[in-house]
Amino acid sequence: MAGKRMRTADPWRDTDVIDERAPRFNQAVTGIVALLGAVFGWPLAWALMSGQLLVGLTLGRRFGLPCLAYFELVQPRFGEGRLEASRPPRLANKMGTIFLAGAALAWWLGSPVVGTILGLLVAVLALLAASTGLCVGCEIYRLTARLRGISPRHHAHIDASDLNGLRGGPAYVEFTHPLCSECREWEERLGSEPEPLLKLDVSDHPDLARKYGVGVVPTVLRVAPDGAVLERLAP
């Protein structure tokens, strides 16, 4: 296809990021299977889909059939989409695994109504994510990452020794990843600002990501000369 974007991230090795269309493809498959299970009374469909999600979560993307289909069949044809952090959709997959397993178990334990409700809940949320990009599980991850990560409430200060280039005025600090598309967008946006931008690559400095509770990139902050967090811009 003319004009398609070539692959910049290896889907099997660069697991910190993911093509944003891959989770939506996975959600579409999950939603359709969950819906079929609810409409036709097939608890086995929920169990199989839950098992497939679990296999992908534990053994890796290559063993998840929807991911395998996307990266081997769809992406080569249409090109790579925008890259994003992989942790938020991973939490969404965990939630889908649990709810679908619960749906099948409830049905087999004699509560088909409860099973159907759980199956329909997964179907609605998964198809919503696939069609609009609004992933509830991803938003929950970002919210919890913000609550436990850098903020004036939790980490009000960054050690100046961790910031190379912090001088006599405020600066922007970005926790970034070289394959993160949104990170580059923030860098372009802040490049015209008078205050300097200091970048911390989490792939080179995982210790700093752990130290400050950074669970998603980009995490963008404005800090004072002494390292005090003045403002959190993203996420």
Side-chain angles (χ1 to χ4, degrees):
M1 175 175 286
K4 70 180 181 181
R5 178 180 170 186
M6 301 303 295
R7 181 179 284 174
T8 57
D10 187 305
W12 318 126
R13 292 199 307 266
D14 299 320
T15 55
D16 289 337
V17 295
I18 192 167
D19 179 342
E20 66 176 358
R21 294 185 299 213
R24 294 180 70 166
F25 183 86
N26 182 69
Q27 292 279 26
V29 174
T30 301
I32 290 171
V33 172
L35 183 60
L36 290 175
V39 171
F40 295 103
W42 293 341
L44 183 60
W46 298 329
L48 291 175
M49 193 68 238
S50 176
Q52 176 55 210
L53 290 173
L54 182 61
V55 167
L57 287 167
T58 55
L59 299 182
R61 295 175 187 170
R62 192 183 295 274
F63 298 93
L65 294 180
C67 270
L68 187 65
Y70 177 80
F71 287 116
E72 294 295 337
L73 301 176
V74 179
Q75 193 192 60
R77 177 174 176 80
F78 294 98
E80 184 181 71
R82 183 170 172 269
L83 298 177
E84 63 179 10
S86 61
R87 290 183 180 181
R90 183 176 176 83
L91 176 62
N93 283 349
K94 290 179 180 178
M95 293 173 62
T97 301
I98 294 170
F99 277 86
L100 286 174
L105 185 61
W107 185 289
W108 286 325
L109 290 178
S111 299
V113 173
V114 174
T116 301
I117 291 173
L118 291 175
L120 284 174
L121 178 63
V122 173
V124 169
L125 294 179
L127 293 175
L128 176 68
S131 59
T132 69
L134 176 58
C135 171
V136 173
C138 301
E139 293 306 316
I140 291 174
Y141 180 90
R142 294 187 179 98
L143 175 61
T144 57
R146 183 180 180 89
L147 291 176
R148 70 176 181 267
I150 295 178
S151 71
R153 184 175 177 182
H154 295 271
H155 288 281
H157 186 274
I158 299 180
D159 294 336
S161 60
D162 293 332
L163 300 175
N164 183 24
L166 190 61
R167 298 291 183 261
Y172 294 104
V173 176
E174 179 192 38
F175 287 84
T176 183
H177 187 283
L179 296 175
C180 169
S181 300
E182 190 177 350
C183 297
R184 291 193 290 271
E185 293 172 6
W186 271 103
E187 290 158 18
E188 293 175 2
R189 189 182 312 173
L190 297 175
S192 59
E193 297 292 329
E195 296 169 350
L197 172 62
L198 309 179
K199 295 186 289 184
L200 292 173
D201 185 341
V202 297
S203 62
D204 289 337
H205 301 285
D207 54 327
L208 295 182
R210 289 191 297 269
K211 178 178 179 179
Y212 296 113
V214 175
V216 63
V217 292
T219 292
V220 184
L221 314 161
R222 184 171 177 267
V223 301
D226 63 353
V229 176
L230 301 174
E231 182 182 6
R232 179 168 181 154
L233 288 78

